[in-house]
Amino acid sequence: MDSVIELIRPYFFGDSLSPVLASVVVVVVALYVFSRKSSLPAIPFELRPPAESLPGWRSGEILDQPSIIVKGRPDLIQCFDPATGRSLGQVRATTVDELQDKIHRARKAQTSWAQTSFEQRRQVLRTLNEFVLAHQREICQVACRDSGKTLIDATLGEVLTTSAKLQWTIKNGEKALQDDERDPGFMMMYKRARVVYQPRGVVSALVSWNYPFHNTIGPVISAIFSGNAIVVKASEHVAWSMSYWEQMIKRALNVCGHDPELVQFVTGFADIGNALTSSPDIDHITFIGSPEVGKLVMKSASANLTPVTLELGGKDCAIVFSDADLSQCIPVLMRGVIQNASQNCIGIERILVQDKIYERFVDEMARRIKAVRVGSILDDEPNQVDCGAMVLSNCFGRLEALIADAVAKGARCMVGGHAYTHPKHPKGQYFEPTLLVDVTPEMDITRNETFGPIMVLMKFADEQDALNKVHSSPYGLGSSVFSGDRARGSRVALKLRTGMTNVNDFGVNYICQSLPFGGVGISGFGRFAGPEGLRALCVEKAFTEDRLPFVKTPIPPIVDYPIQNTEKGYQFTQQIVAFAYSETWWDSIKAGLRLGKISM
């Protein structure tokens, strides 16, 4: 002990440390070290990214009319870089028979996986997280090539969000899924009651194309940590990168000694999606997409009463009061609109600005949006690209029509408003960063998700006016309120009919992975992320057992079958209710006395 004290003295306390205090410190440190739970370390592995993801890659031909459809070959998906129109090759669509085989293999692997400890599951997530952190650039480049986004947007939307989910699950997942002790109540005081969270079995996720890495890996993290197997349907629009994500998670499982068949990936068109959602062998469905397709998913799942979680996009608002800190607010809202070309379910699609600062706000946003540069981050010169391409080009006509409708009804399009032909990438899929001002609730663009780089500005007078205009949309996913008055910011935010809200910020609730993610209205229902997301993938089993082995539930002779006197039996049960649940002790005592009398 003396030698240990002398060792730590100069590092922490100088020469003034008393022997008694030093002994206490040593004991505390020793208890901490020896009481820590042993953890299984991450296991490193390597995985070579596809050559097409490298900057400057130009081996693929530029398609004259980029499309995922291969004429005459419904079994193939044409993959291409939306920023350039350059072919990335073709991917074979999964067949229905192959899907059934994958579900079967996942089910078999889940049987043993369900018996693993939380620490074994954490090891897989640690292994995956270490790979992500060590290979951020490669992951971002793969995502950029398949979806046309920038490296910054990929880092924030693909990597940061995934690592946040991994770290939260590693640190908090077990606590969220521990048995939940419940109060058995007065009448059942001799029982022990709890909720046990058990894996459902094989769950599925049908995910959107806007963030191909995060949308694919996120559901896998929650599924496997909660003890499930999972079948992920990647969008046909980002089918090229699916193989890389699949290899990544399977390698992480394999190096940790687990069956990689636990996680299955499929891709294809509507037929494979319908086969997955209607399968009686799927125990839960998570769907990320549009309200229209979400309704079809619900209808398909209803055949087997398969539970669903639906995240169906949003028309997120930001309310900016005149006392907001514009030096903070404006850059945040620029990112809320321009990030990933606004292909974000929680992208800012409506900005309501108080009339006192409206014109100043319009002028500043016009200056900023005019300066936004679009292009391919993997092919253009450095420092030339702020905003990437759009994954879907077939939406351009719809976006232009929404803008035209707004202008016809009195709005002003101050910047952009049209599809953009890039001089270097004429086959790329770009839409001009757009500023549309003086928008009112009567305009179609306020009720339809744009999913494009269009900043919509609306003017409001006071709190109630802002709330009325926000609630004119049927969507209710995320929201933001900007105000220098914290009380007002919180008050207005809590009145918004949305599933999520942020005061003086945008979208940060998703970085707080302890919070559930989801909406109301046509934005869907159910939640992923947080404890709620993990528990949604479990059967919440109500469980009771005797608190003491010699105290069990008796059936009094007066109500034991066959019942000898039904009227007397009824009076007996009536007094049991009064005894157990009366408001006052005196009423309970009287009921107890009557019980004794009836029992005689």
Side-chain angles (χ1 to χ4, degrees), residues 497-517:
R497 194 165 59 243
T498 60
M500 303 170 288
T501 193
N502 302 282
V503 177
N504 292 326
D505 221 322
F506 138 75
V508 295
N509 53 280
Y510 195 57
I511 306 303
C512 302
Q513 279 287 315
S514 59
L515 295 175
F517 187 95

Side-chain angles (χ1 to χ4, degrees), residues 521-588:
I522 67 169
S523 289
F525 55 80
R527 297 294 184 264
F528 53 84
E532 294 81 359
L534 283 175
R535 292 170 182 171
L537 301 177
C538 295
V539 175
E540 298 173 316
K541 181 172 289 185
F543 181 91
T544 69
E545 60 184 344
D546 295 327
R547 193 178 294 275
L548 299 171
F550 50 84
V551 180
K552 302 183 184 298
T553 300
I555 300 297
I558 197 171
V559 290
D560 191 15
Y561 293 112
I563 299 172
Q564 301 301 312
N565 187 326
T566 56
E567 177 59 28
K568 195 173 183 181
Y570 167 69
Q571 293 176 11
F572 179 83
T573 55
Q574 188 180 40
Q575 295 308 313
I576 286 178
V577 175
F579 173 72
Y581 303 114
S582 290
E583 286 292 325
T584 67
W585 281 104
W586 176 237
D587 287 337
S588 293

